[in-house]
């Protein structure tokens, strides 16, 4: 991917920022799934029960992207779900998970984003049901569902477990897709990571270690291989949105980080929840 070099920054910081951006799954929502689509220039459709959201342009273009943002603007967007103008973002941006990210990791992402080529491409308006278009209501949604604050390690757990918990819960925001929602659109706390049925009839699998409905028959090595290559223990390969998450995200992570994620996932409470 071309480096634009609009901002001089430490090369290691930019490299870490790209790593964090991939860990956070940004590419699969901010880049169209088509050959030749401009990198991180938005337009990717994100389907939901409330309509279709379109990922915005996050290249450093000053007119259509985030070229006029400051690093504090990015921190506020990812941890509070608010734009530079104070406007609330829809939780299609998973800021309820990103709020746990360390500021230093967000700052690294900022450095990387400022180094890529700006693309002039207007954002496509969301196509939502009528009642979801009232943005001021998001303030009340946040009261119900946003719990701001950085990830706090558990002193009773290992460094590896805590790294995995941080990656799964804060950066990769796995629960956002792998958990069913309540009527108000928040994650169902009784079924975190237990999978969900989609409005179109599709499913997102249970990734708790339940042996019947989840990944309890997998080993840590199986999880690492799946996140790296997309192949499950039966020899099948990930499809749909998960294939994008792997291709643009987890396959680029270190083996140490993939093992940490596996350690954390296998430590979850098994939940029997058959979504098939």
């Amino acid at each position: 991917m071309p480096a634009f070099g609009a901002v001089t920054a430490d090369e290691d910081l930019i490299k870490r920022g790209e790593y964090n951006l991939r860990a956070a799954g940004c590419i699969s929502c901010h880049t169209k799934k088509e050959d030749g689509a401009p990198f991180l220039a938005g337009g990717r459709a994100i389907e939901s029960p409330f309509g279709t959201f379109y990922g915005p342009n996050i290249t450093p273009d000053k007119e259509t992207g985030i070229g006029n943002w400051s690093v504090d603007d990015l921190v506020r967007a990812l941890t509070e779900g608010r734009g530079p103008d104070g406007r609330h973002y829809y939780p299609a941006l998973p800021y309820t998970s990103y709020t746990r990210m360390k500021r230093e990791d967000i700052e690294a992402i900022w450095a990387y984003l400022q180094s890529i080529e700006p693309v002039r491409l207007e954002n496509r308006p969301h196509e939502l049901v009528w009642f979801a278009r009232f943005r001021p209501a998001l303030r009340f949604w946040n009261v119900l569902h946003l719990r701001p604050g950085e990830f706090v390690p558990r002193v009773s757990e290992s460094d590896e477990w805590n790294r995995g918990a941080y990656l799964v819960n804060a950066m990769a925001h796995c629960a956002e897709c792998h958990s069913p929602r309540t009527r108000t659109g928040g994650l169902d706390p009784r079924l975190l990571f237990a999978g969900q049925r989609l409005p179109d009839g599709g499913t997102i699998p249970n990734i708790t270690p339940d042996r019947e409905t989840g990944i309890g028959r997998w080993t840590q090595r199986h999880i690492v291989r799946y996140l790296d290559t997309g192949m499950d223990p039966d020899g099948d390969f990930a499809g749909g949105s998960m294939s994008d998450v792997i291709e643009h995200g987890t396959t680029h992570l270190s083996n140490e980080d993939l093992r940490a994620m596996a350690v954390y996932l296998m430590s979850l409470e098994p939940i029997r929840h058959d979504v098939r």
Side-chain angles (χ1 to χ4, degrees), residues 218 222-232 238 242 246:
W218 293 31
H222 287 145
I223 297 174
V224 170
R225 183 177 64 185
Y226 181 75
L227 294 175
D228 184 27
T229 68
M231 187 172 74
D232 69 19
M242 191 62 200
I246 293 170

Side-chain angles (χ1 to χ4, degrees), residues 32-49:
K32 283 185 178 180
K33 191 178 182 180
E34 58 186 47
D35 292 340
F39 185 62
L40 296 179
R44 181 69 173 267
I46 305 166
E47 304 293 339
S48 84

Side-chain angles (χ1 to χ4, degrees), residues 6-25:
V7 174
T8 302
D10 182 85
E11 185 176 340
D12 290 337
L13 181 64
I14 292 175
K15 186 176 180 180
R16 182 159 63 88
E18 180 182 6
Y19 185 92
N20 291 345
L21 179 129
R22 291 187 179 279

Side-chain angles (χ1 to χ4, degrees), residues 63-243:
E63 300 297 327
T64 64
I66 62 171
N68 289 319
W69 285 30
S70 69
V71 65
D72 288 334
D73 290 332
L74 183 63
V75 170
R76 186 180 303 110
L78 296 186
T79 62
E80 300 177 23
R82 291 191 298 123
D85 58 0
R87 184 177 61 164
H88 289 279
Y89 289 133
Y90 288 103
L93 169 68
Y95 58 84
T96 49
S97 291
Y98 288 158
T99 189
R100 301 184 180 96
M101 287 178 62
K102 301 173 185 176
R103 182 182 174 97
E104 63 194 60
D105 284 338
I106 298 176
E107 289 176 347
I109 291 176
W110 168 251
Y112 173 69
L113 289 175
Q114 294 305 296
S115 76
I116 67 173
E117 182 178 359
V119 177
R120 185 176 180 82
L121 185 65
E122 294 286 349
N123 291 320
R124 182 171 177 177
H126 304 313
E127 299 171 358
L128 307 178
V129 295
W130 65 269
F131 60 83
R133 300 172 195 165
F134 187 60
R135 280 183 182 265
L138 292 170
R139 181 189 312 172
F140 303 102
W141 190 92
N142 286 338
V143 171
L144 291 174
H145 302 298
L146 175 61
R147 300 293 178 267
E150 280 191 15
F151 172 80
V152 178
R154 288 189 188 177
V155 295
S156 60
E157 301 289 351
S158 67
D159 290 343
E160 184 176 48
W161 185 95
N162 277 301
R163 176 62 176 170
Y166 177 70
L167 287 166
V168 168
N169 290 301
M171 300 191 80
H173 58 277
C174 303
E176 301 282 348
C177 288
H178 287 275
S179 307
R181 300 273 174 172
T182 65
R183 290 184 178 180
T184 57
L187 298 181
D188 187 336
R190 303 166 302 170
L191 294 170
L192 291 178
F193 301 104
Q196 64 165 316
R197 298 182 182 91
L198 301 175
D200 64 2
T203 60
I204 297 178
N206 182 343
I207 56 171
T208 74
D210 179 68
R211 292 183 62 82
E212 299 301 322
T213 64
I215 59 172
R217 298 179 185 274
W218 293 31
T219 66
Q220 289 180 15
R221 185 164 58 180
H222 287 145
I223 297 174
V224 170
R225 183 177 64 185
Y226 181 75
L227 294 175
D228 184 27
T229 68
M231 187 172 74
D232 69 19
D234 296 324
D236 295 326
F237 283 86
S241 60
M242 191 62 200
S243 64

